[in-house]
Amino acid sequence: MGQPIRAAALRRRAAAACAALLLVGLASGTGARAAPAPAPEPTPSPSQAALDPRITEIMRKPEYRHAQWGLLETEPADGRVLHSLFPGQFFIPGSTAKLFAVSGTWRTLGTDHRFVTPVYAVGQRTGATLTGDLDLVAQGDLTLGGRTRPDGTVAYTDLDHTYANDFPGATLTPENPLAGIDQLARQVRDSGITRVDGDVIVDSRLFAPDPGLDPTPTPLIVNDNLIDLLTTPGDRAGADARLDWRPKVAPYAVTSAVETVAAGKPTNITVTTTDGGTRIRLSGTIAADAKPLLRTAPVTDPAAFGRTALIEALARAGVRVSADPVGPNPAARLPRDYDGRPRVAAYTSPPYEQYAKLILKVSHNLGANLGICLMAVSAGGKQCEGGFPVLGAFLDRAGVDRKQVELLDGRGSNPNDRSTPQAMVQMLAYWQRTPDARLFREALPVLGVDGLLAANCRSCPARGKVFAKTGAVVGGDALNNRLAVGGITIAGYLDKGGGRFDTFYAGVTGAATPTADVADILAVSNDLAQIAAYLQESP
């Protein structure tokens, strides 16, 4: 088994494994090793005998000896069950829980819903001077223009920057994360205001942030409430590494003591923060032949950050604000409402279906949790927990048996989250009865093509024919120096040709890896992707 490792280190490794599993699989293939003696077969159900033998072979691997498998595949026309294995049993969903949260938000807000974030002039205006405040009223816009392409679609990469601290290879989209803020500033200038004798205030009263949702959504979100830190090797070993970071907003400041080391040497970069998170320092090493390495640091006060960002953007646009740009957000100055106040700027987002695509393709945790809060707002509430009754009512209308779903967040990370295969398939089947069936299906990762399934099955026959959300909950097993699989799941659609898309779910709970190596967890993830591929390939 190798040398034992400390429990704390195992917990850290397990957390990284879970993040990695959500992001990428191994290369094409089953991730098979030298085969030990076969484990006992899973307890059969009446229809398991019809499974592709390659699927049964995966389920019999030693790491699944004490595990429980769930599987369900149905035809779209009449819901006829093609394959079934414990369809009514609870499994830990991981990020496949996002299918519920995103579906509820999508249908509550509407496919074409656009977030309109306004700026109001509060005070007296004389010519080009406003004596008073500019108030930006946050509307829960997930990206505020920071990912919007010129054609109005939302950009994403297969390995999103929100996972950069957990797994190497995360990359940035090229869009300016301050694009929406800059547009608002230009509109203020175009309205004729060039001077503000007063302050800029972010109105974050849309909903109250709920620490029970991790990551915690806020009404104003800029760059996912993160500072991106990109380190590139220097020209030679011994040289200082190059650093770039964004978005550059005061008082955040970044310094680097990362050294370039010889090619092939370890890359190990640590990020530390002080002064309430506004002083960020990188230290460590990066190999001369390494690719640029992305890390992130949190924005600790999104409202104050947004206030400063807007004041700085106004200066760039030619609008002078008398207030100090750096400091707390003076929310106590906000008016009761904006009736009769002139709106001097507004940023309009892409339609929600574009945000849903972002959330599902990259497993965007903040966006999934944000949906819970937005559903609460739709019902007139300000406490995010008020979103769950809205979600429940939607599931009832959609024909999903809500008693087969247990959720305490939108992303699928709470220890209490559970779902049955049947409920997942009911959710997927609902979309097939709507005009947005294609939009929803294509918002999911596509096997071997994009999103979290981009690296799986790149050369297999099922490439491009499986549209599915993945999920994982992984923890450490310090007693046995290995990793414990709470649940690894995949659910979505199988393109069977001729316009037929079967709904399916596959998941395993209670598995264990041979060692504490993260690669062992990735192999389990790959097994689930292979099962999906074999289901698609089977007649």
Side-chain angles (χ1 to χ4, degrees):
M1 181 179 288
Q3 295 298 316
I5 58 178
R6 293 179 181 269
L10 186 57
R11 285 192 294 270
R12 289 193 298 271
R13 188 175 299 181
C18 184
L21 180 56
L22 291 171
L23 294 169
V24 293
L26 297 178
S28 176
T30 63
R33 306 174 186 82
E41 290 197 31
T43 305
S45 69
S47 62
Q48 189 185 354
L51 281 176
D52 187 313
R54 295 173 297 179
I55 295 177
T56 304
E57 183 180 357
I58 289 174
M59 292 179 173
R60 295 181 65 205
K61 287 184 177 182
E63 47 266 59
Y64 308 126
R65 181 182 300 272
H66 305 294
Q68 178 66 65
W69 283 92
L71 189 145
L72 185 61
E73 180 186 354
T74 66
E75 278 192 358
D78 54 9
R80 183 169 67 93
V81 174
L82 301 177
H83 299 106
S84 176
L85 188 64
F86 300 106
Q89 181 169 308
F90 271 133
F91 288 82
I92 297 173
S95 281
T96 51
K98 290 182 174 71
L99 292 172
F100 300 115
V102 172
S103 294
T105 310
W106 189 327
R107 302 314 273 178
T108 299
L109 298 180
T111 300
D112 296 323
H113 174 80
R114 296 174 186 265
F115 299 89
V116 180
T117 302
V119 174
Y120 290 95
V122 179
Q124 297 296 318
R125 180 169 170 181
T126 304
T129 298
L130 171 67
T131 303
D133 302 328
L134 289 175
D135 293 356
L136 185 159
V137 185
Q139 298 295 309
D141 187 332
L142 178 58
T143 71
L144 201 62
R147 294 179 186 250
T148 305
R149 300 185 181 102
D151 65 359
T153 59
V154 172
Y156 61 89
T157 62
D158 293 331
L159 204 56
D160 192 65
H161 78 138
T162 53
Y163 287 103
N165 291 348
D166 299 308
F167 198 74
T171 55
L172 297 170
T173 61
E175 287 72 26
N176 174 14
L178 296 176
I181 296 289
D182 284 341
Q183 188 177 125
L184 289 170
R186 290 192 297 269
Q187 288 183 29
V188 170
R189 176 63 182 85
D190 291 343
S191 77
I193 296 174
T194 59
R195 179 180 175 84
V196 177
D197 285 337
D199 215 325
V200 169
I201 311 174
V202 172
D203 186 337
S204 292
R205 295 178 292 186
L206 184 69
F207 60 81
D210 184 349
L213 299 175
D214 180 22
T216 302
T218 52
L220 182 70
I221 298 170
V222 177
N223 199 46
D224 300 311
N225 292 338
L226 295 173
I227 303 294
D228 296 317
L229 312 160
L230 189 65
T231 300
T232 303
D235 296 331
R236 53 181 172 74
D240 292 339
R242 292 186 288 270
L243 170 69
D244 193 14
W245 62 282
R246 70 177 205 183
K248 294 181 172 66
V249 174
Y252 284 78
V254 183
T255 58
S256 174
V258 177
E259 179 185 0
T260 306
V261 294
K265 293 288 186 180
T267 293
N268 186 13
I269 295 177
T270 300
V271 178
T272 56
T273 61
T274 56
D275 291 350
T278 63
R279 294 296 180 267
I280 303 168
R281 180 175 174 81
L282 286 75
S283 58
T285 59
I286 186 168
D289 59 344
K291 294 180 179 179
L293 182 69
L294 182 65
R295 291 285 186 264
T296 63
V299 170
T300 53
D301 187 339
F305 184 87
R307 170 186 175 272
T308 298
L310 182 52
I311 292 175
E312 292 178 343
L314 286 165
R316 292 192 294 270
V319 180
R320 182 170 176 262
V321 178
S322 63
D324 188 339
V326 175
N329 184 54
R333 294 169 58 105
L334 290 170
R336 181 177 178 178
D337 56 50
Y338 295 96
D339 291 346
R341 316 281 187 180
R343 192 176 81 171
V344 293
Y347 178 78
T348 301
S349 77
Y352 181 77
E353 58 91 5
Q354 281 293 309
Y355 284 1
K357 187 174 186 178
L358 166 67
I359 296 167
L360 294 171
K361 289 287 188 186
V362 310
S363 204
H364 198 287
N365 294 322
L366 180 63
N369 281 343
L370 176 64
I372 301 296
C373 302
L374 294 175
M375 283 187 280
V377 171
S378 76
K382 292 185 179 295
Q383 304 301 317
C384 291
E385 64 184 16
F388 290 103
V390 178
L391 176 57
F394 159 73
L395 294 178
D396 292 342
R397 296 192 303 273
V400 178
D401 181 1
R402 73 153 91 177
K403 299 301 184 184
Q404 297 190 48
V405 184
E406 298 177 347
L407 292 177
L408 268 175
D409 64 3
R411 63 174 283 197
S413 67
N414 191 284
N416 294 326
D417 292 346
R418 297 290 188 276
S419 175
T420 67
Q422 189 171 40
M424 286 280 183
V425 166
Q426 288 171 346
M427 185 74 268
L428 294 160
Y430 159 79
W431 282 100
Q432 292 179 308
R433 303 190 295 271
T434 73
D436 291 328
R438 181 185 60 81
L439 279 177
F440 183 80
R441 182 175 66 248
E442 294 179 356
L444 299 171
V446 182
L447 187 69
V449 176
D450 66 13
L452 304 188
L453 290 173
N456 292 95
C457 214
R458 298 296 294 270
S459 301
C460 68
R463 181 179 188 268
K465 300 177 182 178
V466 176
F467 304 78
K469 184 75 194 73
T470 60
V473 175
V474 179
D477 176 9
L479 179 66
N480 297 293
N481 192 38
R482 62 185 183 181
L483 298 175
V485 177
I488 296 182
T489 56
I490 186 169
Y493 303 98
L494 308 169
D495 183 354
K496 305 294 275 189
R500 170 182 156 187
F501 294 89
D502 288 1
T503 53
F504 84 98
Y505 166 96
V508 63
T509 188
T513 61
T515 71
D517 190 338
V518 169
D520 291 332
I521 287 292
L522 293 176
V524 179
S525 172
N526 196 61
D527 281 347
L528 268 295
Q530 283 297 142
I531 287 174
Y534 295 150
L535 287 173
Q536 189 282 325
E537 294 170 16
S538 299

